[in-house]
Amino acid sequence: PMATIEKSISISAPVEKVFGYIDDPMNDPDWMIGMVEVHDVEGEAGVGRHFHWTFKMVGVPLKGESTTIEHAPNQRTVTESKGQVSSTWAADVKPHGSGTELTMKVDYTIPIPVLGKLAEQLILKRNERNLESSMQNIKDTLET
C-alpha cells in the first residue's frame, strides 16, 4: 500500500541555508527521525546523486538506496528510494516573510512482509508524527 504525507513549516533562515542543509544527504541522520546512517554518497549535488542508507521503522532496520531525480537549487529537490522501503521525498523551499517555508511530501510504501499488516495503521500515524518532528528538527538546527 502506498501512503502520502505532506507537511509545511516556517523557518527563520534564508532559503539558501535551508535548501543547502536538506539537500546534503549526510545531514539526514541529524534531522530525519528513523535515519540511522547514510553512506557511499556518489556524485555532486543534483540529479543522479546516489547514496545508501539504513532506516529504522518501528524499530526494524531497513536498508536501501536513494537517487536524486529532480533538482532545482534553492527551490526543489526530489529523491527516489528503493530497497526495503520504496519512497519518493519531495522538498520545496520558498521565501516566506524574512525566512523560508519548507514543504515536504513523502510518498512511500509500507513493507508489509517485513512489518506486518496489523502494524500498517500504527506505522502511518507514527510516520506522520515523525515527519512533523523531523521538520521541527530542521527548524531548530537552522534557527540557532
Side-chain angles (χ1 to χ4, degrees):
M2 181 64 92
T4 300
I5 316 171
E6 187 168 350
K7 301 282 175 193
S8 293
I9 195 167
S10 291
I11 299 173
S12 299
V15 163
E16 296 76 13
K17 186 175 177 185
V18 176
F19 188 86
Y21 183 74
I22 60 167
D23 194 42
D24 182 350
M26 294 308 289
N27 289 329
D28 290 359
D30 295 336
W31 64 264
M32 193 185 296
I33 292 174
M35 186 60 79
V36 179
E37 65 164 354
V38 167
H39 57 95
D40 298 336
V41 178
E42 293 164 27
E44 295 302 307
V47 171
R49 179 158 63 184
H50 185 85
F51 59 95
H52 292 257
W53 45 261
T54 304
F55 186 89
K56 269 191 177 176
M57 198 179 278
V58 290
V60 180
L62 306 168
K63 291 189 180 300
E65 51 193 277
S66 295
T67 306
T68 302
I69 57 168
E70 206 183 311
H71 195 265
N74 301 322
Q75 291 173 45
R76 179 175 172 84
T77 181
V78 183
T79 54
E80 191 173 59
S81 299
K82 297 185 170 91
Q84 290 176 296
V85 182
S86 300
S87 67
T88 305
W89 279 73
D92 290 277
V93 294
K94 61 179 187 210
H96 179 74
S98 60
T100 302
E101 183 180 44
L102 168 63
T103 301
M104 286 192 167
K105 183 178 178 207
V106 187
D107 296 294
Y108 67 99
T109 54
I110 295 175
I112 295 297
V114 182
L115 300 175
K117 188 78 182 132
L118 281 175
E120 189 178 340
Q121 282 310 111
L122 170 80
I123 292 164
L124 287 170
K125 288 269 181 293
R126 181 172 295 184
N127 286 346
E128 191 156 342
R129 277 203 313 272
N130 285 354
L131 181 62
E132 279 179 7
S133 302
S134 293
M135 292 173 75
Q136 185 64 46
N137 289 342
I138 294 170
K139 180 180 171 76
D140 292 346
T141 298
L142 297 180
E143 288 185 353
T144 47

